[in-house]
Amino acid sequence: GLITDHEMSLIFGNVEELVAVHQTIVDKLEALQNQIGVYDSIAETITKWIPSLGCYSKYCSNQIYAKEVLDSISQKTAVADFLERCRASSFSRKLDLWSFLDTPRRRLPKYVLLIKNIMRMTLPTHADKMGLQKAIEGLHSVLSVVDKATGQAKCDKYKSRLVFLQDKHDTGEIRRASSLLCDGPLKNKNGTKVHGLLFDTVFLLTRQLQKEKMHYQVYRTPIPVCDIQVEDMPEVRVGGSFKRTFSTTAGEISKNFFRVWEGESQGYTLSVQSGTKKQWIDSIVNAKKALGAKIETAAPEPSSDDISVPQTPTEPPSPPLEFITPQAKQTQSRTDYTPTTSGGKKLREESRRLPVTPTCARRAENKENCGNISNQMTPFSATTPKLTLRTDEHVLRLVMDEAPTPVSPSLGKTSTV
């Protein structure tokens, strides 16, 4: 024959079991028709039949290897000629063999839509109304099991074909992966073609190696899903290496980029084929949610055209100085007041050297603590004049309006300093 029995089983899997399952529901529905071809009730029959669709798990999981085997044997001249004559015949409708093999997987989700349409046409008072809702819930359960089994099969396949350049790349997250969520061709910032693999626990960038079977060489540090960050880059001005890679004109805007990174690392800027960027971003976000990680939305970086010189923010003024004693030895930083002049830097340096003491207001708030050292400090009257802050030839100066009049704590009278 053209192919062996083993290759036949790998390509077609349990397709005969699928045929038997669908023939069963056809026979049952035909038996429910009355003489004029109308159904009185179908909800119970469909609900009981839905669990038998579990055989799709095995069929869809096997397709991961079926496509690879079919592509391999199609390299033989005799097999390729046979498949081409089949495709050109009238019964194939110009479709190749894989189109037929992949039809069951694509048709399975459409049963949900079919039953929803039947339910919408059913009267609210009909007994099938609730039964059809249970059938839809059963179909969702089957689809969930099939998706999980397919993801597990794809995950096992890719994990078995990973090649590591460095031992540190073979991380525990890769070994713990149980499902492949998204994969496909990407391009890095240098225009190099890479193959992205998003597992439920880790994101990998690999290179395809064609041996007897396709292998995937991990050449960048894996990013754990629990730590991954993703950023949609809505508009990127292509230039430099991107310009040469994508054969674009200078200044052209591209919308097929996104960036992934971990922690403080620079990460990877990647381009995708048109229409697949949203799939990648959604898959990464959903993977983080599945792990219970906190999603951090990264704002897109502004383009070079939008960058403007930042202005110095206006900070609230510091509390007014009531008095500064010349004899004070304590130095207090004045970083909360920065004059906006051309010599701002020098002014800040000068202001840090100014000796100041706690104000009367602060001593009032800390009355209990200040009481222990009240004999060493000189209180001042409420009418003590304030100081004014002036700049002269880029030097900060404190100028007193008039001399203070300290109050003698022993006599309670004012005296001249």
Side-chain angles (χ1 to χ4, degrees):
L2 296 176
I3 60 177
T4 64
D5 293 340
H6 178 64
E7 292 172 337
M8 180 80 73
S9 62
L10 286 177
I11 294 174
F12 293 95
N14 61 331
V15 66
E16 294 181 355
E17 186 177 357
L18 300 185
V19 175
V21 166
H22 289 279
Q23 188 61 49
T24 299
I25 190 62
V26 170
D27 295 339
K28 290 183 177 181
L29 290 177
E30 289 179 348
L32 291 176
Q33 285 181 323
N34 56 23
Q35 295 180 350
I36 59 175
V38 177
Y39 298 94
D40 294 328
S41 177
I42 61 172
E44 182 179 358
T45 302
I46 293 178
T47 303
K48 291 181 179 179
W49 169 77
I50 285 176
S52 63
L53 295 175
C55 59
Y56 272 82
S57 295
K58 181 179 179 181
Y59 183 81
C60 294
S61 300
N62 182 74
Q63 279 191 302
I64 305 302
Y65 302 94
K67 184 67 166 73
E68 188 176 53
V69 175
L70 181 60
D71 291 341
S72 177
I73 65 173
S74 297
Q75 303 299 321
K76 300 178 182 179
T77 304
V79 175
D81 179 67
F82 174 78
L83 294 177
E84 180 60 28
R85 286 188 284 112
C86 290
R87 190 186 67 82
S89 62
S90 58
F91 68 84
S92 69
R93 294 172 295 173
K94 306 298 181 181
L95 299 175
D96 57 17
L97 177 57
W98 180 250
S99 297
F100 290 100
L101 293 175
D102 195 43
T103 297
R105 181 192 63 82
R106 292 184 283 107
R107 290 280 179 85
L108 182 60
K110 294 182 178 180
Y111 284 105
V112 176
L113 300 177
L114 177 61
I115 296 180
K116 284 184 176 180
N117 288 336
I118 297 175
M119 185 177 176
R120 188 173 65 252
M121 302 298 293
T122 303
L123 296 176
T125 57
H126 198 282
D128 276 4
K129 197 70 173 181
M130 295 299 297
L132 291 174
Q133 182 61 41
K134 292 181 180 179
I136 293 175
E137 295 173 358
L139 278 173
H140 282 301
S141 299
V142 171
L143 289 172
S144 178
V145 173
V146 172
D147 288 342
K148 185 176 181 179
T150 304
Q152 180 69 59
K154 293 178 68 176
C155 178
D156 293 341
K157 173 190 172 182
Y158 282 102
K159 285 171 60 177
S160 65
R161 299 184 182 181
L162 291 176
V163 178
F164 299 96
L165 287 175
Q166 303 180 34
D167 293 339
K168 66 179 182 179
H169 289 169
D170 187 8
T171 62
E173 285 83 5
I174 297 177
R175 292 188 291 271
R176 291 194 299 270
S178 60
S179 179
L180 183 68
L181 305 179
C182 189
D183 72 287
L186 301 169
K187 288 185 180 180
N188 63 11
K189 63 181 181 181
N190 298 321
T192 304
K193 292 182 179 180
V194 296
H195 195 88
L197 298 173
L198 176 64
F199 296 94
D200 56 341
T201 57
V202 68
F203 173 77
L204 303 177
L205 286 179
T206 67
R207 292 191 182 102
Q208 291 184 333
L209 301 177
Q210 184 65 53
K211 299 180 180 179
E212 294 181 359
K213 297 179 180 179
M214 183 66 70
H215 285 71
Y216 301 87
Q217 182 185 70
V218 180
Y219 80 107
R220 286 291 183 267
T221 302
I223 302 180
V225 167
C226 59
D227 299 326
I228 195 172
Q229 302 294 327
V230 59
E231 174 186 2
D232 182 3
M233 305 179 73
E235 290 188 356
V236 175
R237 190 174 299 279
V238 180
S241 59
F242 280 136
K243 175 184 175 182
R244 294 190 297 271
T245 301
F246 299 103
S247 300
T248 57
T249 58
E252 181 176 346
I253 300 297
S254 176
K255 300 182 179 181
N256 295 326
F257 289 87
F258 69 97
R259 187 169 72 95
V260 295
W261 74 97
E262 174 190 5
E264 301 297 328
S265 64
Q266 185 177 2
Y268 313 117
T269 299
L270 304 169
S271 68
V272 297
Q273 296 178 354
S274 179
T276 61
K277 181 173 73 169
K278 186 178 185 301
Q279 178 185 359
W280 274 103
I281 295 176
D282 290 346
S283 297
I284 293 173
V285 172
N286 292 334
K288 286 199 68 172
K289 289 182 179 179
L291 288 179
K294 181 180 179 181
I295 302 297
E296 296 181 4
T297 304
E301 296 180 355
S303 61
S304 58
D305 297 337
D306 298 331
I307 297 178
S308 58
V309 179
Q311 299 179 354
T312 304
T314 303
E315 299 181 358
S318 58
L321 296 175
E322 294 190 5
F323 186 71
I324 299 177
T325 58
Q327 297 82 7
K329 297 182 179 180
Q330 181 180 1
T331 301
Q332 176 179 326
S333 174
R334 296 292 296 160
T335 56
D336 57 341
Y337 183 89
T338 305
T340 55
T341 67
S342 58
K345 182 177 181 181
K346 186 173 181 180
L347 292 174
R348 288 194 296 271
E349 293 176 355
E350 293 291 336
S351 64
R352 293 191 182 96
R353 302 193 188 104
L354 294 175
V356 296
T357 59
T359 62
C360 295
R362 184 172 179 179
R363 288 199 300 273
E365 295 176 359
N366 299 277
K367 181 178 180 180
E368 182 177 351
N369 295 332
C370 294
N372 299 329
I373 58 173
S374 60
N375 294 330
Q376 303 177 15
M377 304 181 67
T378 303
F380 300 94
S381 64
T383 60
T384 301
K386 295 182 168 52
L387 299 180
T388 58
L389 201 60
R390 298 180 181 176
T391 58
D392 184 19
E393 296 182 357
H394 308 305
V395 177
L396 184 66
R397 302 180 185 277
L398 290 175
V399 181
M400 187 182 301
D401 294 339
E402 58 183 19
T405 55
V407 180
S408 173
S410 59
L411 300 178
K413 299 180 181 179
T414 61
S415 61
T416 304
V417 178

